[in-house]
Amino acid sequence: MNTYAFVIKAKAKSEKKNLFCWLSAKSDSRAEREILNILDDADIAVGRGADYQLPQRTDWHVADDLPEEGVLDDTWCDRYTLGDDGRSWSPVLGEAGAAAAPVVNVETQPAQPAADAELRPLSRLRLIQRLIAHLMHDAELDQITLEQHIEIGEMEGKDENCFVQALRQVIEDTPAIKELSAHVEWKLIKAVKAVFSQAQSHEAGRIAHFVKGWVQADASDRPQLLEGWLNGTLPAPEIVSTGEPDDETPQEATPEEAAQAQALVQAFRDKDMTELHTVATLSFRHRLLAQFITEKEYAYHVDNEQLNTVRQMEMDTDNSYVQNLLLAAENVEGMKNLRDFELWRLTDAVKRVFPSDKATPDLSLMLQFMKAWKTTDYIDRGLLAKEWIAGNRVSTIQRTDTGTNAGGGIKTDRNADYEHTLDTLDIEIACATLPMDFDIYNIPGSIHRRAKEIVAAKESPWKEWSAALRKTAGILDYSRAAIFALIREASSGITPFPDRMTGYISATLNE
C-alpha cells in the first residue's frame, strides 16, 4: 500500500476553508477514486459549479498533528502552507501557526518533560510505521526522535523492500494484527527478524505467511511456531490450540508423522527454485526493459529467462523500436531518477501511443512524447496519452478553472506554430468584445494593445465572458472564428446572467 496526500482547495467565492486528507491505496488510480468517495460521503461537491476545486495530490509530510486516515481536515492549511511547487508543505511560522495547532487533552496525553520535547510517542504512528520502527531497531521503543520518524517514513516508501511489502499485505489481509498491543507488536517483529535475515532478500509472500500464522496463533503456541520455522519446517505446520493449561506437555508426533514431515522438508530443499533478480538493482536500461516486457503491473523481480530476454533486447540493434525507446529515455532529464512503478507507467503509455504492430515511430517523436510525459503532472498523464493516441501532439495538458481538460490539441484555424492557452484565449475574447471590424487572423497592433488593456483592467463584458469560457471543457479546441462568432452574436444583456451565458455557450458551441 502507498500513502497519498491531497489538498482540496476552496474557491475564492465560496468563503470556505481548504481541506486536507491522506489515505493509503495500492495505486494512484485507486487513491484518486478513494478521495472522491471520501468527498462524496461527506456531501462535498467538487469541480464545475461547486465550492471546491478537484483534489490536488501533494507530497507526504511527516508531522505530529496529522489527522486520522481518510478524515477531511479543515485546519491543516492553517498550520501548514503549500510551497510554490504546489506539492511540498512547510509549517506556518509565528503566532498564526501556533494558534492553529490542535489542543492536546492533558487527561489523555500527559505532558512530556522539557528534555523530551523532541521525542514523540510511538503509539501515535500508524500501524505500518510502528512495525517498521521495530524492524529498524532491535530495542523495544516507546518514543522516537524526529530523525527516526523521517527514517521510518523513507522506509515506508520503499516499495521494493520485501519486509515492507509483507507487512502491508498482512495489515490488509489480517485484521487481527490491529488488535495487538505495543509490546506484542515488538515481539512479532523480533520473531520476523529471527526467521528472515534483513541482510538477504526474501519472498514477501513467505514473510507475510509467517506473520499471519504468528498473529493468528495463541500466545502459548507462538514459540513452537517460531521454532518450527527456524528448524527448516517451511512453512511451519498449522498450530491448533487445544485450550489445555500451558504447563501440559504437548503430545509427541508418531514416527510416521515425523518421517513424513522430514520427507516434505527434504523435498522442499531439493526443489529447483527459480532465481529471482530485484529490478531496482539492475542498470537503468535493464530496469526500463524489464518494465517494458511486463504487461499487467510493474515488476518487483525478474527471473533468469526474463533477464536474458532483457539483455537480448538491449543488444538487438536491428530492433529500431526498442533502440529508440532506450535512446529517448536516456535523453530525458530526470528519467533515470524515476521509480520502477513510474517506469512501468511510462512504458505502458509508450506502448499505447506507439503500438508495436504499426510503423516504428521516429526517435524524435518518441523523445517528444517522453519529455511531455515527464513534465506533465501524474494526474494528467493519462489524458496526455489519450491526446497522443488521438493524433494530437500536445506538450502539456491544460485545465479549465473547474479542473476539466481545456483541450488545445486539435488543429484549428490558428497558425500551426501558435501556442494557444487560456491566456491567449483571454486576448481573443477581448478583441471580440471590441466593436471595430478587422481581420481576426491578422489582428492590428492597435487592437491587440487595446485588448491587453481590457484584460489588465478586467473590464466588462470581457471579465464575464472570460469567466464563463474558462470553465468550458475543451474550450481551446474551438477555432478563433467560433469564439468571435459566439461573442459577437450574443445578446448584449446576457452577461449579467451567468446561468444564461452557460446555456448559450453550450448550445452555440455544440451547434
Side-chain angles (χ1 to χ4, degrees):
M1 300 287 282
N2 300 320
T3 303
Y4 298 84
F6 292 90
V7 62
I8 303 94
K9 294 183 178 180
K11 297 179 182 178
K13 65 178 182 179
S14 69
E15 299 182 355
K16 293 183 180 293
K17 299 181 68 175
N18 294 342
L19 303 176
F20 174 84
C21 182
W22 70 270
L23 52 91
S24 300
K26 287 185 176 180
S27 63
D28 292 359
S29 58
R30 287 196 179 188
E32 292 162 14
R33 291 197 298 269
E34 181 61 23
I35 186 62
L36 292 177
N37 290 337
I38 292 173
L39 291 167
D40 186 46
D41 292 341
D43 294 328
I44 295 177
V46 295
R48 182 176 181 180
D51 291 331
Y52 290 92
Q53 300 178 17
L54 291 173
Q56 173 188 342
R57 183 180 170 186
T58 69
D59 291 338
W60 174 250
H61 184 71
V62 178
D64 285 341
D65 54 351
L66 275 171
E68 293 294 327
E69 181 175 359
V71 173
L72 295 168
D73 185 359
D74 62 354
T75 65
W76 176 268
C77 293
D78 295 335
R79 306 188 300 276
Y80 299 92
T81 181
L82 203 57
D84 294 337
D85 58 0
R87 296 186 65 86
S88 58
W89 293 97
S90 58
V92 175
L93 302 178
E95 297 181 359
V103 177
V104 178
N105 187 337
V106 295
E107 296 180 1
T108 58
Q109 300 290 338
Q112 294 290 334
D116 296 337
E118 293 299 323
L119 297 178
R120 50 203 65 196
L122 192 69
S123 59
R124 296 184 62 181
L125 272 61
R126 292 178 289 111
L127 175 58
I128 181 66
Q129 292 186 333
R130 297 199 302 271
L131 298 178
I132 291 175
H134 295 312
L135 188 68
M136 298 174 66
H137 302 88
D138 293 331
E140 183 174 3
L141 303 175
D142 58 356
Q143 293 179 318
I144 59 172
T145 63
L146 174 61
E147 290 74 14
Q148 289 172 326
H149 199 170
I150 294 174
E151 290 178 4
I152 293 168
E154 292 175 348
M155 183 71 169
E156 184 184 6
K158 294 181 178 179
D159 293 333
E160 70 279 2
N161 186 288
C162 58
F163 291 92
V164 176
Q165 295 176 34
L167 293 176
R168 285 176 175 160
Q169 181 179 336
V170 173
I171 290 173
E172 182 176 355
D173 298 341
T174 313
I177 195 174
K178 301 176 183 179
E179 305 301 326
L180 301 181
S181 66
H183 179 65
V184 177
E185 288 176 359
W186 173 73
K187 291 178 67 176
L188 164 63
I189 299 302
K190 184 179 179 181
V192 171
K193 291 191 287 187
V195 176
F196 302 96
S197 170
Q198 290 184 272
Q200 301 176 358
S201 179
H202 308 275
E203 286 292 332
R206 298 192 60 211
I207 300 175
H209 181 66
F210 170 76
V211 174
K212 184 175 182 179
W214 195 95
V215 170
Q216 294 179 339
D218 286 346
S220 60
D221 294 329
R222 287 168 180 166
Q224 185 181 351
L225 174 68
L226 176 60
E227 183 179 355
W229 278 77
L230 291 174
N231 289 340
T233 310
L234 305 173
E238 183 179 0
I239 299 173
V240 180
S241 176
T242 61
E244 299 295 331
D246 294 342
D247 57 352
E248 288 194 5
T249 304
Q251 184 179 0
E252 295 184 0
T254 64
E256 293 78 7
E257 291 174 339
Q260 185 180 10
Q262 185 61 34
L264 290 173
V265 172
Q266 190 61 41
F268 177 82
R269 291 173 176 171
D270 295 340
K271 186 178 180 180
D272 184 16
M273 302 296 290
T274 301
E275 183 179 2
L276 296 178
H277 306 270
T278 304
V279 174
T281 63
L282 304 178
S283 66
F284 173 71
R285 284 187 158 213
H286 289 177
R287 287 173 57 211
L288 184 67
L289 292 178
Q291 304 304 337
F292 180 76
I293 65 175
T294 303
E295 293 296 332
K296 294 184 178 179
E297 60 181 8
Y298 76 97
Y300 288 105
H301 305 92
V302 290
D303 56 29
N304 288 335
E305 182 179 355
Q306 291 172 317
L307 186 57
N308 288 334
T309 300
V310 165
R311 289 169 176 166
Q312 292 172 8
M313 293 175 67
E314 181 191 18
M315 301 302 294
D316 186 3
T317 55
D318 293 332
N319 191 333
S320 300
Y321 190 107
V322 171
Q323 296 303 317
N324 287 351
L325 172 72
L326 294 173
L327 288 173
E330 289 180 321
N331 284 278
V332 176
E333 183 179 357
M335 192 68 78
K336 295 183 179 180
N337 297 328
L338 295 181
R339 297 166 68 179
D340 290 318
F341 71 89
E342 292 178 298
L343 288 178
W344 177 80
R345 289 196 178 98
L346 169 65
T347 57
D348 180 66
V350 168
K351 287 187 287 188
R352 288 187 289 115
V353 172
F354 307 107
S356 58
D357 57 349
K358 295 185 179 180
T360 300
D362 294 336
L363 173 61
S364 59
L365 191 60
M366 190 173 287
L367 179 61
Q368 180 185 351
F369 172 72
M370 286 194 182
K371 285 182 177 179
W373 188 92
K374 178 65 174 62
T375 55
T376 299
D377 189 73
Y378 82 99
I379 201 171
D380 290 331
R381 286 171 176 169
L383 287 175
L384 180 75
K386 288 182 180 179
E387 291 284 358
W388 276 70
I389 292 173
N392 305 322
R393 311 303 188 197
V394 296
S395 59
T396 186
I397 295 296
Q398 300 185 72
R399 294 279 187 176
T400 66
D401 289 351
T402 58
T404 57
N405 185 8
I410 297 178
K411 294 182 179 180
T412 62
D413 55 355
R414 298 174 182 87
N415 190 301
D417 298 327
Y418 181 75
E419 184 179 0
H420 189 37
T421 66
L422 291 174
D423 291 335
T424 60
L425 174 67
D426 278 340
I427 297 296
E428 293 183 0
I429 294 172
C431 291
T433 60
L434 295 174
M436 296 81 78
D437 289 329
F438 52 86
D439 183 359
I440 65 172
Y441 300 113
N442 187 22
I443 300 176
S446 59
I447 299 295
H448 195 268
R449 287 191 295 273
R450 174 58 184 143
K452 286 186 174 181
E453 293 174 356
I454 292 174
V455 174
K458 297 182 179 180
E459 299 178 14
S460 293
W462 170 85
K463 66 178 182 180
E464 290 82 6
W465 281 111
S466 175
L469 291 176
R470 274 176 166 263
K471 296 177 182 177
T472 305
I475 189 60
L476 299 181
D477 288 332
Y478 291 96
S479 66
R480 181 177 292 180
I483 298 299
F484 270 74
L486 172 77
I487 295 173
R488 291 188 166 182
E489 293 176 5
S491 170
S492 58
I494 197 174
T495 53
F497 306 98
D499 292 341
R500 289 178 57 190
M501 287 186 69
T502 301
Y504 168 74
I505 290 171
S506 177
T508 304
L509 291 183
N510 286 339
E511 181 180 356

